[in-house]
């Protein structure tokens, strides 16, 4: 969740307002003109230390100062009453900033920066009902949209960014930029950075308090280096430039492109000159025989490896001399005693003694018993035994009966500890000085860290979208009805082959629908016919489109709506009546709807009696029709078709059905017309209602409704609006459908399912670079030679060259490798090779790097046409790379029957660039 320290809510003539203050960042932002639903939606996603409510909230449209008792304000009051809050008056921003300074003891001169982003041209934030019904805010029982936008491996800050993007859709220009970023990412062929994600608030706090350690500085350097890496690559530089505006929208910081690049280079250089990096191997921990290594590890690891040795040469020398002196003292005072104990044998209860590390006291002492001779005879070790004295802790208390030391050893220990303390203090001083240097670049760090979070989120979205076969929609500006431009494409939404966003096409074939929406749809259909699923799917596709993201369809044209509303009633406020909640949400939707809105209302007015509910539903339809918005209103209130409605932009649509073995069943397909059949009895039977109860209900239905229905409609359960012709149902013995994923109203077609280096350093960077070049050359020679040999005599013998792409340490394969057959060579730290093939290179890279010692492993890969060819190329390399002088870890795979053989004839194959 976003970490907001202070949150203030108020109300103005434009609507509700929210003030967000982050003390850590010394920033504040304001947002005005919010609806009650949108404000509650934001409250659900913010975690605040302090909540303040302005006195303006106490007065609402009902004329009562008892806030939340009637009408507007009830939903907000229910949300706030469960939290601790405080009332305040006066100017919201001024008063809240004063309270922040009082709470944190800040001086009046402390400046808080305004990072408010202009809201001009930006769609309205999502209402709470819309956000929860599509899972933008995770809700029990609702398919979570966030879970399908990103792969499971993408967690943390990128997920929070995507959620914030969905809840607060960007202006058209930013959405178009985000889409262009995603399209470019989907086409890159080079490896991409890991996109290090660092929390801006944590980063600022650590640097401001000068508490950043060497690990945090390494992460900051990674951020700066990855920005520089994007800039230096011709393919990725375009992405970096495009990311500037979305990052400005997310941070409120406006930074020039050249400034960002130059400052990141400076930050990387300054940190690199000070901090000891992974390849700095000249800071070994002291090690001497007869002294346990754990002693030196515990003392020296607290400061060694933090900063470069060049800044601590004198202190390194001092610690080394102190360690050597301690070693000599231990040899002179303890070793003779240990030697004596070892040569003295006794059948029972012999002497014991050894040199051990007392961890709690951070000391090296002698521990023994029964080692004092009964008769002093001047034998070796006796002089040293006489020098021993009991060991004492820091408070001067005796440690135990078996621990001993000498004055010389204690003096050497004190010298060693003092030298380490000086080195530790110097390292801390250098780190704090580095924090001070970076304080002037805080804005650059905040901007760069958010840029990489956005890049990682969009990269992960593109990867998952390609896997799910989603597409990029055509996003267009929404012209108003008063525009001189011809209506049609720019005022219509086209969704071809739309599927429910929660379905994975890799696991089945869901029913797709096509919509060409130029007006309002009045939707009817049977229970379980897919009305709710269709509304959710349309809402999700439209929202993803106006955010610049991929959508679950075969093709799409989506106008940039100024607001998207989805109403599906849920009993969120148990103390309020069902109808009250529905009318409150409908009021909020009607208030915010314009001709550029998308309105989706499911089963309107189902919470009250039929006659008046039908009339209210008809009035809602007239109101929305007059606004000229696009949308769908579904209903089971068929009396609405008998009302004298004055609609001009409304089209009747229905979820169709068909007759199977004498039973009417839904097809979950959208079509023109009206469906008056609810399939209520069939639904009740399917859900386990007793058969006797259903039979009695059918009798009552025939007694009361059948005669009137026959006279009125001529026994037409389904009729078209324009021609009044009956639908013709075909007898189908096998529908070929089955329920999928447990989601009501949506079925899938039946298908047949088939089946860091740890303690050891890598070779030098130069050695690995040479290995990479040698492997690349050998792979190209082996594969291209074989392909040319096998295709002699063909009419089109030309082949593209083998294009080996390097995925270096801390890089990942591009999205173009998703679902593509790839052959790869893993360059292990021990310079051995592993050859493999896969259709999911990203996952395979992660799997290899998850093993011990493989965190920074590099890969070479090339793409081929088809898995069969990939398997054959894999076998060819496994069998022939050893003859070129390379050591393979999976040589045996080349003999496996499922891998083919190196002599297999390849026919009609080609290698992809």
């Amino acid at each position: 969740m976003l970490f907001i320290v202070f949150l203030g809510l108020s109300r103005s003539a434009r609507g509700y307002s929210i003030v967000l203050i982050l003390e850590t960042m010394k920033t504040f932002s304001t947002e005005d003109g919010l609806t009650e639903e949108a404000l509650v939606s934001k409250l659900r996603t913010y975690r605040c230390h302090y909540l303040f409510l302005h006195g303006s909230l106490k007065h609402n449209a009902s004329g009562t100062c008892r806030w939340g008792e009637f009408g507007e304000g009830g939903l907000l009051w229910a949300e706030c009453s469960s939290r601790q809050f405080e009332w305040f008056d006066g100017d919201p921003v001024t008063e809240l900033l004063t309270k922040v300074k009082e709470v944190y003891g800040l001086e009046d001169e402390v400046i808080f920066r305004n990072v408010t982003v202009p809201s001009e041209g930006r769609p309205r934030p999502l209402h709470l009902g819309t956000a929860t019904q599509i899972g933008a805010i995770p809700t029990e029982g609702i398919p979570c949209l966030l879970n399908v936008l990103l792969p499971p491996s993408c967690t943390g800050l990128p997920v929070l960014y995507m959620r914030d993007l969905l809840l607060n859709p960007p202006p058209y220009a930013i959405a178009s930029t985000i889409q262009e970023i995603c399209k470019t990412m989907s086409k890159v062929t080079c490896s991409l950075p890991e996109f290090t994600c660092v929390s801006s608030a944590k980063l600022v706090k650590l640097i401001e308090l000068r508490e950043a350690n060497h690990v945090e500085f390494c992460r900051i350097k990674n951020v700066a280096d990855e920005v520089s890496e994007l800039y230096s690559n011709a393919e990725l530089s375009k992405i970096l430039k495009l990311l500037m505006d979305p990052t400005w929208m997310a941070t409120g910081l406006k930074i020039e492109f050249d400034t960002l690049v130059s400052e990141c280079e400076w930050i990387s250089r300054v940190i690199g000159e000070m901090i000891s990096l992974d390849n700095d191997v000249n800071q070994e921990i002291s090690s001497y025989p007869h002294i346990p290594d754990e002693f030196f590890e515990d003392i020296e690891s607290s400061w060694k490896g933090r900063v470069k040795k060049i800044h601590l040469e004198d202190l390194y020398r001092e610690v080394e001399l102190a360690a050597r002196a301690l070693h000599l003292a231990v040899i002179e005072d303890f070793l003779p005693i240990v030697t004596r104990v070892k040569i003295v044998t006794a059948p029972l209860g012999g002497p014991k003694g050894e040199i051990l590390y007392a961890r709690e006291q951070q000391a090296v002492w002698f521990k023994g018993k029964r080692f004092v001779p009964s008769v002093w005879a001047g034998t070796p070790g006796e002089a040293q035994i006489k020098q021993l004295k009991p060991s004492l802790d820091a408070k001067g208390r005796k440690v135990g009966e078996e621990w001993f030391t000498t004055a010389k050893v204690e003096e050497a220990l004190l010298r060693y500890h003092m030298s380490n303390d000086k080195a530790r203090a110097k390292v801390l001083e250098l780190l704090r000085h580095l924090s001070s240097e970076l304080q002037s670049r805080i804005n650059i760090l905040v901007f760069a860290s958010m840029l990489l979070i956005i890049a990682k989120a969009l990269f992960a979205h593109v990867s998952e979208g390609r896997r799910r076969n989603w597409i990029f929609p055509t996003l267009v500006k929404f012209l108003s009805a008063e525009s001189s431009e011809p209506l049609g494409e720019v005022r219509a939404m086209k969704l071809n082959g739309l599927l429910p966003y929660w379905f994975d096409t890799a696991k089945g074939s869901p029913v797709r629908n096509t919509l060409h929406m130029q007006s309002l749809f009045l939707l009817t259909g049977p229970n379980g016919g897919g009305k709710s699923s269709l509304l959710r799917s349309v809402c999700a596709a439209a929202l993803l489109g106006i955010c610049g993201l991929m959508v679950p369809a075969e093709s799409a044209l989506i106008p940039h709506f100024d607001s998207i509303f989805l109403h599906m009633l849920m009993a969120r406020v148990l103390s309020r009546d069902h109808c009250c909640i529905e009318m409150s949400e409908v009021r909020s939707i009607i208030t915010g709807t314009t001709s550029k809105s998308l309105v989706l209302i499911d089963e309107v007015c189902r919470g009250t009696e039929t006659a008046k509910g039908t009339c209210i539903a008809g009035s809602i339809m007239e109101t929305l029709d007059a606004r000229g918005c696009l949308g769908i209103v579904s209903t089971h209130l068929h009396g609405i078709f008998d009302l004298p409605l004055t609609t001009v932009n409304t089209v009747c649509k229905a979820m169709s059905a068909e007759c199977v073995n004498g039973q009417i069943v839904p097809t979950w397909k959208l079509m023109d017309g009206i469906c008056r059949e609810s399939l209520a009895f069939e639904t009740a039977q399917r859900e386990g209602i007793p058969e006797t109860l259903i039979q009695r209900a059918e009798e009552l239905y025939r007694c009361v409704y059948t005669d009137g229905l026959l006279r009125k409609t001529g026994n037409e359960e389904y009729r078209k609006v324009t021609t009044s012709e009956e639908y013709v149902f075909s007898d189908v013995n096998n529908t070929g459908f089955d329920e999928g994923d447990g989601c009501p109203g949506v079925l899938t077609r039946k298908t047949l399912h088939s089946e860091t280096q740890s303690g050891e350093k890598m070779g030098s960077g130069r050695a690995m670079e040479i290995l990479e070049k040698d492997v690349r050359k050998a792979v190209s020679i082996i594969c291209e030679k074989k392909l040319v040999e096998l295709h002699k005599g063909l009419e089109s013998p030309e082949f593209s060259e083998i294009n080996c792409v390097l995925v270096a340490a801390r890089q990942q394969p591009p999205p173009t490798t998703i679902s593509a057959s790839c052959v790869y060579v893993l360059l292990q730290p021990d310079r051995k090779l592993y050859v493999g093939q896969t259709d999911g290179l990203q996952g395979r890279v992660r799997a290899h790097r998850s093993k011990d010692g493989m965190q920074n492993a590099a890969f070479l890969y090339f793409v081929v046409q088809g898995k069969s060819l990939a398997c054959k190329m894999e076998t060819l390399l496994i069998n022939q790379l050893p003859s070129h002088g390379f050591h393979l870890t999976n040589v045996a795979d080349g003999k496996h029957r499922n891998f083919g053989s190196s002599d297999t004839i390849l026919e009609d194959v080609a290698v992809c660039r």
Side-chain angles (χ1 to χ4, degrees):
M1 288 188 176
L2 293 177
F3 194 78
I4 305 300
V5 177
F6 273 71
L7 200 63
L9 310 181
S10 62
R11 191 174 181 187
S12 66
R14 295 185 57 198
Y16 290 96
S17 302
I18 186 169
V19 180
L20 298 87
I21 302 178
L22 185 57
E23 184 273 336
T24 301
M25 305 285 289
K26 299 297 186 294
T27 60
F28 73 91
S29 62
T30 61
E31 194 168 356
D32 199 4
L34 298 173
T35 63
E36 180 186 10
E37 279 264 352
L39 185 61
V40 172
S41 178
K42 288 182 175 292
L43 277 176
R44 291 281 178 94
T45 59
Y46 293 149
R47 181 174 59 186
C48 60
H49 282 171
Y50 302 92
L51 176 62
F52 292 88
L53 306 180
H54 195 265
S56 58
L57 292 171
K58 295 182 179 180
H59 305 280
N60 62 20
S62 65
T64 175
C65 63
R66 295 176 64 184
W67 179 44
E69 184 176 1
F70 303 103
E72 187 174 3
L75 183 62
L76 180 59
W77 170 250
E79 185 69 26
C80 293
S81 60
S82 62
R83 307 167 180 248
Q84 291 185 344
F85 63 86
E86 179 181 333
W87 291 100
F88 77 106
D89 293 296
D91 178 71
V93 174
T94 303
E95 291 298 322
L96 286 177
L97 287 175
T98 301
K99 290 183 179 293
V100 171
K101 293 178 181 180
E102 289 176 356
V103 170
Y104 287 93
L106 302 176
E107 299 292 335
D108 291 339
E109 292 76 18
V110 174
I111 303 298
F112 280 74
R113 182 166 40 84
N114 186 354
V115 294
T116 302
V117 177
S119 59
E120 182 179 357
R122 188 168 189 172
R124 286 177 175 267
L126 289 195
H127 280 194
L128 179 63
T130 306
T132 54
Q133 283 296 331
I134 59 173
I137 295 178
T139 306
E140 184 178 359
I142 304 297
C144 183
L145 182 58
L146 286 173
N147 288 349
V148 300
L149 284 185
L150 304 171
S153 59
C154 184
T155 58
L157 295 173
V159 178
L160 297 184
Y161 170 77
M162 294 297 283
R163 186 197 62 185
D164 188 60
L165 181 67
L166 295 176
L167 295 178
N168 303 275
Y172 175 78
I174 300 297
S176 300
T177 301
I178 290 175
Q179 187 181 88
E180 183 62 25
I181 293 170
C182 292
K183 286 182 177 179
T184 306
M185 282 184 168
S186 69
K187 298 175 183 177
V188 296
T189 58
C190 63
S191 301
L192 290 96
E194 282 190 340
F195 300 123
T196 301
C197 294
V198 180
S199 168
S200 299
K202 178 182 178 181
L203 185 152
V204 171
K205 195 69 175 179
L206 290 174
I207 291 181
E208 183 183 71
L209 298 177
R210 301 197 303 166
E211 293 180 352
N213 58 30
H214 73 291
V215 175
E216 295 300 332
F217 281 121
C218 286
R219 288 171 60 82
I220 294 172
K221 186 179 187 301
N222 288 341
V223 169
D225 286 342
E226 287 172 6
V227 171
S228 299
E229 183 179 348
L230 290 173
Y231 173 73
S232 61
N233 186 291
E235 274 192 285
L236 304 181
S237 180
K238 180 182 178 181
I239 295 177
L240 179 61
K241 290 180 180 179
L242 291 171
L243 283 167
M244 298 297 288
D245 283 342
T247 307
W248 160 70
M249 179 67 65
T251 63
L253 297 170
K254 198 71 174 178
I255 294 178
E256 296 297 326
F257 179 74
D258 292 338
T259 301
L260 174 67
V261 173
S262 60
E263 291 293 340
C264 284
E265 291 175 350
W266 180 89
I267 291 170
S268 176
R269 184 176 65 255
V270 169
I271 295 177
E273 291 172 352
M274 178 62 67
I275 300 299
S276 176
L277 304 176
D278 293 339
N279 57 0
D280 191 359
V281 296
N282 62 345
Q283 301 194 38
E284 294 85 359
I285 302 297
S286 300
S287 179
Y288 289 94
H290 311 303
I291 296 180
D293 289 337
E294 294 87 347
F295 169 73
F296 292 116
E297 179 71 27
D298 286 355
I299 304 301
E300 297 181 13
S301 63
S302 62
W303 62 273
K304 279 188 176 180
R306 267 62 173 173
V307 301
K308 289 190 178 295
K309 188 174 181 179
I310 191 174
H311 303 289
L312 303 166
E313 291 287 359
D314 294 339
L315 293 173
Y316 264 90
R317 191 176 303 108
E318 185 176 336
V319 169
E320 184 180 350
L321 293 174
R324 185 178 295 116
L326 175 61
H327 176 241
L328 293 175
V330 168
I331 290 178
E332 293 175 2
D333 288 4
F334 291 162
L335 189 58
I337 304 175
V338 174
T339 303
R340 174 188 174 89
V341 168
K342 288 181 178 180
I343 63 176
V344 174
T345 59
L348 294 173
K352 294 184 178 180
E354 54 186 332
I355 302 169
L356 294 177
Y357 170 35
R359 191 179 299 276
E360 291 185 5
Q361 320 304 329
Q362 291 191 327
V364 176
W365 290 330
F366 174 79
K367 185 178 182 181
K369 57 183 178 181
R370 297 187 299 274
F371 58 86
V372 179
S374 55
V375 178
W376 299 92
T379 56
E382 289 185 9
Q384 286 77 15
I385 293 176
K386 292 178 181 179
Q387 296 177 14
L388 294 179
K389 61 179 182 179
S391 300
L392 305 178
D393 61 16
K395 296 182 179 180
R397 296 175 298 190
K398 190 174 179 181
V399 174
E401 298 297 332
E402 299 180 0
W403 291 97
F404 298 92
T405 185
T406 67
K408 184 187 296 184
V409 170
E410 288 301 299
E411 181 181 351
L413 275 172
L414 179 61
R415 176 185 174 186
Y416 177 73
H417 279 299
M418 290 181 64
S419 62
N420 276 278
D421 290 342
K422 288 172 62 178
R424 195 176 298 110
K426 181 63 176 178
V427 168
L428 183 60
E429 177 187 341
L430 293 172
L431 292 178
R432 288 180 171 174
H433 181 264
L434 183 56
S435 292
S436 299
E437 282 191 274
L438 294 180
Q439 282 184 2
S440 61
R441 268 76 175 184
I442 282 292
N443 287 351
I444 298 293
L445 293 175
V446 170
F447 191 91
S449 63
M450 178 53 70
L451 184 145
L452 292 183
I453 290 171
I454 296 174
K456 185 164 188 174
L458 298 183
F459 168 74
H461 168 63
V462 169
S463 299
E464 184 67 9
R466 286 176 62 96
R467 190 188 70 80
R468 290 176 174 268
N469 294 320
W470 289 12
I471 55 93
F472 291 105
T474 301
L475 183 63
V476 294
K477 286 187 176 181
F478 202 135
L479 297 184
S480 63
E482 295 78 15
S483 173
S484 59
E485 295 290 333
L487 299 182
E489 296 294 323
V490 292
R491 277 192 50 80
M493 179 168 67
K494 291 183 178 181
L495 299 172
N496 297 321
L498 175 69
L499 59 87
Y501 63 85
W502 56 91
F503 265 88
D504 190 342
T505 55
K507 299 179 180 179
S509 301
V511 176
R512 293 178 179 267
N513 273 294
T514 296
L515 298 86
H516 186 186
M517 187 183 296
Q518 292 180 287
S519 59
L520 200 63
F521 288 176
L522 180 56
L523 180 65
T524 52
N527 291 308
K531 298 187 299 298
S532 299
S533 293
L534 179 66
L535 265 63
R536 277 200 182 96
S537 302
V538 171
C539 180
L543 178 61
L544 293 173
I546 69 171
C547 290
L549 305 175
M550 302 178 76
V551 301
E554 294 173 345
S555 65
L557 183 145
I558 299 175
H560 193 258
F561 296 103
D562 66 358
S563 54
I564 296 177
F565 301 104
L566 172 63
H567 167 68
M568 290 181 171
L569 191 61
M570 291 183 65
R572 295 195 305 272
V573 185
L574 298 179
S575 61
R576 301 187 69 193
D577 177 71
H578 186 101
C579 184
C580 291
I581 300 172
E582 183 177 27
M583 291 300 102
S584 177
E585 293 189 4
V586 170
R587 168 193 48 77
S588 182
I589 292 173
I590 294 295
T591 302
T593 297
T594 70
S595 61
K596 300 180 181 179
S597 300
L598 176 66
V599 179
L600 305 161
I601 302 178
D602 189 35
E603 297 189 18
V604 63
C605 295
R606 63 181 176 181
T608 188
E609 59 100 354
T610 304
K612 293 179 180 178
T614 301
C615 294
I616 294 176
S619 181
I620 291 173
M621 288 296 303
E622 287 186 333
T623 302
L624 295 177
D625 183 88
R627 296 279 175 89
C629 64
L630 301 185
I632 304 175
V633 178
S634 71
T635 184
H636 282 296
L637 302 174
H638 301 147
I640 197 171
F641 300 108
D642 301 323
L643 297 178
L645 302 182
T646 58
T647 57
V648 294
N649 296 312
T650 300
V651 177
C652 292
K653 296 284 184 177
M655 303 305 294
S656 64
E658 62 185 4
C659 185
V660 180
N661 296 327
Q663 298 291 325
I664 298 176
V665 296
T667 63
W668 305 280
K669 297 289 289 184
L670 184 69
M671 63 184 301
D672 296 333
I674 299 172
C675 173
R676 295 181 183 271
E677 173 57 62
S678 67
L679 297 183
F681 298 145
E682 290 80 357
T683 302
Q685 186 178 37
R686 187 172 63 248
E687 295 301 322
I689 298 297
E691 186 66 29
T692 55
L693 191 153
I694 297 175
Q695 290 176 357
R696 177 55 180 163
E698 290 174 338
E699 291 175 3
L700 294 173
Y701 180 79
R702 285 193 295 270
C703 291
V704 178
Y705 297 103
T706 302
D707 291 341
L709 183 62
L710 289 174
R711 288 193 298 271
K712 186 174 183 180
T713 66
N715 202 24
E716 292 178 349
E717 290 292 343
Y718 293 82
R719 60 190 178 92
K720 294 187 178 179
V721 176
T722 56
T723 65
S724 299
E725 295 177 354
E726 284 191 335
Y727 288 130
V728 178
F729 299 104
S730 58
D731 286 327
V732 180
N733 294 323
N734 187 356
T735 63
F737 289 90
D738 196 4
E739 291 190 355
D741 291 1
C743 299
V746 181
L747 301 187
T748 59
R749 299 188 184 276
K750 292 180 179 177
T751 57
L752 296 176
H753 297 281
S754 59
E755 311 280 301
T756 113
Q757 304 163 4
S758 175
E760 183 181 7
K761 297 290 181 181
M762 285 182 63
S764 67
R766 178 60 179 163
M768 293 303 292
E769 182 179 345
I770 294 173
L771 176 64
E772 179 260 317
K773 290 182 178 179
D774 291 343
V775 174
R776 184 192 296 267
K777 182 178 179 180
V779 168
S780 298
I781 292 174
I782 293 171
C783 294
E784 290 177 4
K785 179 181 178 181
K786 193 66 175 179
L787 288 175
V788 171
E789 173 187 337
L790 296 174
H791 285 79
K792 286 182 179 179
L794 294 181
E795 293 182 0
S796 301
E798 297 182 1
F799 295 96
S800 300
E801 295 180 355
I802 295 290
N803 182 22
C804 288
V805 180
L806 174 67
V807 181
R810 299 187 62 253
Q811 288 186 341
Q812 52 191 327
T816 50
T817 61
I818 297 174
S819 300
S821 297
C822 300
V823 181
Y824 68 90
V825 181
L826 166 61
L827 311 180
Q828 298 185 169
D830 57 4
R831 303 193 67 188
K832 291 183 179 180
L833 307 181
Y834 178 94
V835 179
Q837 63 81 25
T838 179
D839 287 343
L841 186 60
Q842 290 185 0
R844 189 65 63 87
V845 169
R846 283 196 301 269
H848 281 298
R849 287 177 173 171
S850 65
K851 299 177 182 178
D852 290 340
M854 301 291 289
Q855 290 81 357
N856 292 322
F859 296 78
L860 282 172
Y861 77 89
F862 59 92
V863 181
V864 299
Q865 290 182 349
K867 190 174 183 67
S868 176
L869 177 58
C871 291
K872 294 172 182 177
M873 288 289 99
E874 174 193 24
T875 302
L876 185 67
L877 291 174
I878 291 175
N879 289 330
Q880 293 197 16
L881 279 175
S883 63
H884 285 69
F886 297 103
H887 297 283
L888 269 65
T889 61
N890 61 331
V891 175
D893 290 343
K895 307 300 181 183
H896 197 283
R897 63 182 178 86
N898 290 333
F899 287 78
S901 72
S902 60
D903 298 324
T904 302
I905 301 298
L906 308 182
E907 298 181 359
D908 300 330
V909 295
V911 179
C912 302
R913 281 190 180 274

